[in-house]
Amino acid sequence: MPPVQQVSPGSQSDMENKLPLKRTKDDLDHMTPPELQNGKRFKGKHKSLNFNSLPLECQLHVFSYLTVREKCQASCTCKKWRDILCSPNLWTVADFTHLMCCELDGLAEKVSFGRIRENETPLPVRNHTCCPTSSESFTSKVSQFVNFLCDRNAQLKILSFEFDLFEEKEMWLYQMNKLLKATNSVGLTKVFGRWSFTPHFMIKYYRSSLDDKHTRVGSFQKLLKTLHETSPYVQHFRIQFDWSMTSVELLCKFQQIHTLELSKYWVFVRTLQSAVDALLDGLPNLKRLHLEMISPFQLGSSHQLYTLRSATLEELDIRRSPGFFLLSVNLPKLRCFSSQRETWAGPVLSRDYLNIPCLHTILMDGAHNLANFNGFPLGSDWRTRICAVFEQKLKSSCYCPKHKKGNLFL
């Protein structure tokens, strides 16, 4: 007989680990949920989830992710959904920039089909396609959408529009005032507006006289007054701005503003340093400032240079401000600065008329905590050491004689 092979305890354990384990019925019953033991399924478990059985808070949360179009379509499903979709907190966005005559149909024509939600930002500029009836159709849709939001006592958080507030005896200003006063707009935090023209009416009602431009500014100031009465906690403005002292004072009443994106209204009209100072001094929570202004050059006088002072500003963007040149800054919390040198289209100038300080020197003296210049992350030694990439960024932004080469100067 062959000798009996002895297996050590350690080897036996290794063999058991390699072999599949055999489990008894008792073991399987112990591991199986009670409702599945002995092949029996417990009735009442694992049913499909019924949306209508959810608590109202959950249903509202789900509906809040829908666009305006989707909410209108869902309201046609049943009476219960229609009642839920009339809840004021489901209507937080009043976006009039999507009320295109060719985009609406059926029930949709009674409301709006904005495509932005509460946490999204509308596009600042859109291309509009008009048809022969677009003016009348657009007017009707705006009125219907305003009435729709007022009937639901909408809790507005975002307002976006493109209207000439002075147009047709201020009919658009009337609609905006009605919307703000008849809805619950105290929670409005974002306002995106272009108030100098209505794209659908541009050809039919174009106005260009100087008196009309001044009157249009008055309509804008009336809107700011209504906004302050109904929505004093606006935090983000993206609007055209005329830089008059009256408009500056009205804007400074919104003490919660943290982001300003101001586009131009007047073209080739100089913005006073006093207006810039009043705006920055009057907004104690301002963190982001994007400017679009054109500072004209006047023969016989030196070009205006601006000083910016703010204890809170963290981001400054002047890429769309040709002719807006800095003399100095006092921005201790500035982290991000963006600037872009525009192609010079004017006459060749003498150094006596245009003497622009170097951006690097300006930022080195007044923005010690700068961390990003035109999208380029700066090292901690940017004030004393200029690397090759930083130098190229300066050459694409700075107008000083050192970085501006070519025929700008005589």
Side-chain angles (χ1 to χ4, degrees), residues 63-76:
F63 282 135
S64 67
Y65 287 95
L66 302 181
T67 64
V68 177
R69 176 189 292 273
E70 293 165 345
K71 291 175 187 175
C72 294
Q73 293 172 339
S75 66
C76 298

Side-chain angles (χ1 to χ4, degrees), residues 4 41 62 83 101 149 159 174 193-194 198-199 214 226 235 237-238 254 283 287 300 316 372 385 393:
V4 178
R41 182 180 295 273
V62 172
D83 294 340
C101 59
L149 294 175
L159 172 63
Y174 168 78
R194 306 181 71 192
T198 308
H214 282 288
T226 302
Q235 301 175 4
F237 275 102
R238 181 194 296 144
F254 299 88
L283 297 176
K287 294 184 178 181
L316 175 62
N372 190 293
R385 177 180 174 272
K393 294 290 184 179

Side-chain angles (χ1 to χ4, degrees), residues 28 58 95 167 183 217 227 283 307 317 334 346 361 373 389-390:
L28 293 175
C58 296
D95 181 16
E167 201 165 59
T183 60
V217 171
L227 273 170
L283 297 176
T307 297
D317 189 336
L334 188 68
T361 303
F373 182 89
V389 178
F390 188 20

Side-chain angles (χ1 to χ4, degrees), residues 221 224 228 241 243-255 275 278-279 282-283:
Q221 293 171 352
L224 286 181
H228 183 256
F241 200 60
W243 287 101
S244 65
M245 290 305 299
T246 301
S247 296
V248 170
E249 292 172 358
L250 289 172
L251 196 59
C252 288
K253 289 184 177 181
F254 299 88
Q255 292 288 286
L279 184 69
L283 297 176

